[in-house]
Amino acid sequence: MSGVTTFETMGTVVSLRGATPEAASEVRAVFAGYDHRYSLYDPSSVLSRVADGSVRLADTPSEVRDVYALALDWRERTGGAFTPHRPDGEIDLSGVVKALAIRDAGAVLDAASSDGDWMVSAGGDVLVRGHHRADDPWSVGVVDPTHRDTVVGVVRLEAPRRAVATSGTAERGEHIWRRATPTFVQATVIADDIVTADVLATAVVAGDEDDLRRLTSDADVDVLAFTADGTVWATPGAAATVRQVPAAP
């Protein structure tokens, strides 16, 4: 297996394992393309020009309108817990574009080696294929939101559960637009695809206990969610997917 490749993009660090230099270069281009179109920190991006009024959304490239439509669909599916709009109404698609970039990066790695083993990790979101080693699945640690140096569980990713996303406030503070009184400080969602995992992790943190119950009953996902008082909510499937790490003596 190839070594580890890392690069910075979208305000985070992307890590690749199992990528050839050529594939890694293509993956960089994938992330750069999404960043160039959707970053609200880049005044030349398409979305920044929509925000400043110099371009109408209706006049943007079809792919931009398609991503907006996807985000609106997720808003509907989550009952509004996930939204592509900031509180002031400005369109912000950061809640889906990183996951879409990871998804497309996975397609690049598959094309480079259809039977290869690889991992893409970007700011708490992970997508994998195959195994880390023979008969040893890829594993992702779940960190205690109140003690960032403590791993409270390990997610073992095996097909079809190839994606895991964690959203929370521990590292970046209150960056998620909540529609309810804050209930959850961190949520880890394990799913078959990275977009579902990422969107629902955000939706759980943005919502409340009722949202969590509804989202987990409507979607085929496994969830670990942490409240501010230290309570941990876990779906039945999460118990089989997450291997608990024993506490240090």
Side-chain angles (χ1 to χ4, degrees):
M1 179 183 296
S2 303
V4 181
T5 301
T6 60
F7 58 92
E8 295 184 7
T9 186
M10 295 183 173
T12 190
V13 176
V14 175
S15 175
L16 305 177
R17 295 178 182 269
T20 65
E22 295 77 14
S25 179
E26 288 188 55
V27 167
R28 283 177 181 264
V30 166
F31 277 92
Y34 274 97
D35 202 28
H36 178 67
R37 288 187 294 274
Y38 301 104
S39 173
L40 288 172
Y41 297 98
D42 178 357
S44 68
S45 76
V46 176
L47 217 57
S48 287
R49 287 185 285 147
V50 171
D52 67 23
S54 61
V55 174
R56 298 188 310 159
L57 179 64
D59 295 330
T60 61
S62 60
E63 60 189 313
V64 174
R65 286 179 276 122
D66 288 346
V67 170
Y68 182 53
L70 173 67
L72 290 177
D73 180 59
W74 275 111
R75 184 181 68 180
E76 180 71 18
R77 291 164 65 179
T78 61
F82 174 87
T83 177
H85 299 105
R86 292 184 173 186
D88 62 3
E90 183 176 325
I91 297 173
D92 187 337
L93 299 176
S94 58
V96 292
V97 295
K98 183 178 68 172
L100 290 172
I102 295 171
R103 180 202 66 185
D104 291 356
V108 167
L109 297 174
D110 275 344
S113 177
S114 60
D115 59 350
D117 303 313
W118 51 258
M119 170 189 276
V120 182
S121 174
D125 296 351
V126 176
L127 180 66
V128 306
R129 179 173 292 284
H131 293 77
H132 182 211
R133 299 183 183 89
D135 300 321
D136 184 13
W138 293 103
S139 298
V140 179
V142 179
V143 176
D144 186 331
T146 58
H147 300 91
R148 301 300 294 166
D149 59 346
T150 301
V151 175
V152 293
V154 176
V155 177
R156 294 166 62 86
L157 292 173
E158 299 185 78
R161 288 290 197 254
R162 299 176 48 222
V164 60
T166 295
S167 183
T169 61
E171 291 190 359
R172 295 176 57 194
E174 287 288 348
H175 66 287
I176 296 172
W177 312 311
R178 298 179 185 267
R179 69 164 189 177
T181 301
T183 300
F184 298 105
V185 296
Q186 180 174 296
T188 295
V189 176
I190 309 144
D192 295 357
D193 73 278
I194 190 62
V195 176
T196 297
D198 192 28
V199 169
L200 293 187
T202 300
V204 169
V205 176
D208 55 22
E209 295 173 2
D210 288 337
D211 288 305
L212 176 61
R213 293 188 186 95
R214 180 171 50 78
L215 293 171
T216 54
S217 65
D218 292 344
D220 180 19
V221 295
D222 301 316
V223 181
L224 285 174
F226 299 78
T227 64
D229 65 4
T231 301
V232 180
W233 290 58
T235 58
T241 305
V242 179
R243 309 294 176 85
Q244 185 174 1
V245 176

